[in-house]
Amino acid sequence: MTPYLKPSNECERRYNSAHKRTRNLIERTIGLLKAQFRCLHRSGGALQYTPITAFKIVVACAILHNNATRRGLPLTPADPDSEDEEQEQPHRHHGDRSIANQGRLRRQHIATQYFGRYVSTSTILTY
């Protein structure tokens, strides 16, 4: 999902705000896992496995991280010099316009359904 480039109403602004907070949380989580488990970081190599196997490795790392946190074990601090060299580029869809249109319609449905009226954050998180 992508944010609205130029939100035109409160519904779209709320969607963008939730999108930004969620993306920030996910990026911090991924950074934390990459710092703790070098096999997930580019400097440690790439996961040269099928998507299913790579998914299982990531889940195993998350489980190990959660267990270490619950037991009070020290976490590896993030190394600011170990960030990925590449900056994320905005996604540009050059393929089928109907697919891009379907994505915009789905985003509009989500924005209207969940952000069209005031909904508390706790309500949103239960969906």
Side-chain angles (χ1 to χ4, degrees):
M1 302 302 299
T2 58
Y4 288 94
L5 293 178
K6 296 178 183 177
S8 61
N9 57 49
E10 190 58 29
C11 166
E12 293 174 2
R13 282 187 280 283
R14 279 194 216 110
Y15 169 88
N16 276 4
S17 177
H19 184 279
K20 182 179 179 179
R21 286 190 316 272
T22 303
R23 182 178 175 141
N24 185 280
L25 176 67
I26 290 168
E27 287 179 355
R28 284 185 289 136
T29 301
I30 290 169
L32 181 74
L33 287 174
K34 287 165 90 176
Q36 186 73 24
F37 301 96
R38 300 309 287 176
C39 66
L40 300 178
H41 192 276
R42 183 174 290 164
S43 67
L47 291 178
Q48 303 275 331
Y49 301 99
T50 65
I52 296 294
T53 302
F55 168 78
K56 290 176 182 179
I57 292 169
V58 172
V59 169
C61 289
I63 290 169
L64 289 170
H65 169 80
N66 289 342
N67 284 337
T69 301
R70 282 189 204 108
R71 294 172 187 258
L73 299 175
L75 300 176
T76 304
D79 179 3
D81 296 329
S82 69
E83 294 299 317
D84 289 340
E85 303 80 34
E86 297 177 20
Q87 293 294 321
E88 183 178 340
Q89 297 297 316
H91 178 71
R92 290 184 171 79
H93 189 288
H94 297 291
D96 186 356
R97 288 187 187 269
S98 67
I99 292 172
N101 243 359
Q102 289 173 5
R104 281 190 289 277
L105 288 173
R106 180 161 298 186
R107 177 183 64 184
Q108 188 62 45
H109 172 75
I110 290 169
T112 304
Q113 181 74 28
Y114 297 103
F115 302 98
R117 60 186 178 6
Y118 178 76
V119 180
S120 72
T121 305
S122 61
T123 305
I124 293 170
L125 295 176
T126 61
Y127 289 106

